[in-house]
Amino acid sequence: MKQIIKFFFIFISGIAFSQDLKYSEKELQQKLDSIKAEANLLFSHENASWNAGDLANSNPKIRE
């Protein structure tokens, strides 16, 4: 029983204090822009790999 109480105490205190970071509007926008840029890069790589796979499958010499 004591272990369960300790676990809940640590878990709830972790949740309460984990959201304490505050970013300025400029820092937040900078982070969001970097996430968006990385997402666009990943999408372009994914799109290129799909196109390369389709081209390779359509060519009978490569498929063998």
Side-chain angles (χ1 to χ4, degrees):
M1 184 68 175
K2 287 183 181 181
Q3 290 177 343
I4 294 173
I5 293 171
K6 285 181 187 179
F7 172 74
F8 282 121
F9 180 71
I10 292 170
F11 184 71
I12 291 176
S13 64
I15 290 174
F17 294 112
S18 65
Q19 301 297 321
D20 199 22
L21 293 176
K22 297 189 181 191
Y23 295 109
S24 68
E25 194 66 32
K26 185 179 178 182
E27 289 172 331
L28 184 61
Q29 191 61 44
Q30 191 175 31
K31 287 188 181 293
L32 292 174
D33 289 341
S34 70
I35 292 170
K36 187 176 178 183
E38 187 175 354
N40 287 335
L41 180 64
L42 288 171
F43 174 74
S44 65
H45 287 154
E46 178 80 19
N47 196 14
S49 68
W50 272 101
N51 288 334
D54 289 344
L55 287 173
N57 283 334
S58 67
N59 191 342
K61 290 181 182 178
I62 296 175
R63 215 177 343 167
E64 293 174 355

